[in-house]
Amino acid sequence: NSKELWKGLCSFLLGDTTLMLHEASWSSSSTLGSTAEFYRRLFRAAWSCEDFCYDHRLRRSLLMSLQNEAEGEGSRNQSTELLCMSGHSSETLGPLVIQIGGMRNSLQPDDIVHVTVINLQNRQILRPTLTEDSLKPLQRMRHASCVVMPNSLPQDAAFPGAILVLGGHDANTRASRLGTPRPAMRRLMFLQVTKDDGSQIRWI
């Protein structure tokens, strides 16, 4: 009946970001609240993988964050710009889901890697700005990424982890250069989040 034990097991199995999402979506609406019984049930449901539920309320609240910034056609264009992609990768840092790169129809040869941040805590979808000292890596798709904990990166990041991105190729589907591998395949490229709401990032 230890809350810390069951919560720790949930964190190990689901990851901190997914656990936070379940806590926000279900514990507040459950009579169990954030109790040991809640985490026990969550762990057993995640372990068995028998019950999955699509959270329409979360989806609506995230999309509403775009409509709050632009109305009508503008909001639809913004959602397309931020979310319509394929061949991208996604990683999590804190309450953030970070989508990196991907295939798009409007990319230019010198466009940088497209990044979309989904802040699950603030229920917000946004495109982050770059720090002044950030690199500007070329757009790409079908790359590989993972969260790492390097000691050699700047220490002013909002989260201890960084995202390592490797490889990929040109992602413009309407250009003859589609599929051209990106140069410097063996060079390590890192993405740091420098503001805790995900509104600013740095490429290294």
Side-chain angles (χ1 to χ4, degrees), residues 134-202:
S134 175
L135 297 179
K136 297 180 179 180
L138 293 174
Q139 47 87 357
R140 65 197 63 208
M141 64 179 291
R142 292 180 179 172
H143 49 277
S145 66
C146 64
V147 175
V148 294
M149 299 285 184
N151 296 322
S152 57
L153 299 183
Q155 299 299 306
D156 60 344
F159 303 97
I163 299 174
L164 171 64
V165 178
L166 289 174
H169 60 72
D170 194 299
N172 190 324
T173 59
R174 297 180 178 177
S176 59
R177 63 182 185 277
L178 175 66
T180 304
R182 285 301 176 214
M185 289 284 287
R186 296 182 181 180
R187 178 179 178 179
L188 300 182
M189 185 169 66
F190 297 95
L191 171 64
Q192 285 185 308
V193 177
T194 52
K195 290 189 176 180
D196 56 11
D197 64 352
S199 61
Q200 188 182 73
I201 60 175
R202 175 198 291 128

Side-chain angles (χ1 to χ4, degrees), residues 85-106:
M85 63 192 78
S86 179
H88 59 284
S89 65
S90 296
E91 304 295 341
T92 60
L93 289 173
L96 310 177
V97 177
I98 303 170
Q99 295 182 334
I100 304 166
M103 177 176 63
R104 307 172 72 84
N105 291 329
S106 58

Side-chain angles (χ1 to χ4, degrees), residues 48-108:
S48 65
C49 294
E50 293 178 354
D51 275 321
F52 291 96
C53 180
Y54 190 89
D55 194 341
H56 293 277
R57 291 179 301 172
L58 174 63
R59 179 181 183 274
R60 283 195 299 269
S61 63
L62 287 168
L63 293 178
M64 281 296 294
S65 72
L66 299 177
Q67 296 177 13
N68 291 337
E69 297 181 10
E71 295 297 330
E73 188 65 29
S75 64
R76 288 191 291 272
N77 289 339
Q78 189 176 21
S79 63
T80 299
E81 172 67 19
L82 291 174
L83 299 174
C84 289
M85 63 192 78
S86 179
H88 59 284
S89 65
S90 296
E91 304 295 341
T92 60
L93 289 173
L96 310 177
V97 177
I98 303 170
Q99 295 182 334
I100 304 166
M103 177 176 63
R104 307 172 72 84
N105 291 329
S106 58
L107 290 172
Q108 300 302 315

Side-chain angles (χ1 to χ4, degrees), residues 22-34 38:
H22 281 83
E23 288 173 329
S25 297
W26 306 119
S27 68
S28 60
S29 60
S30 169
T31 57
L32 297 174
S34 296
F38 168 78

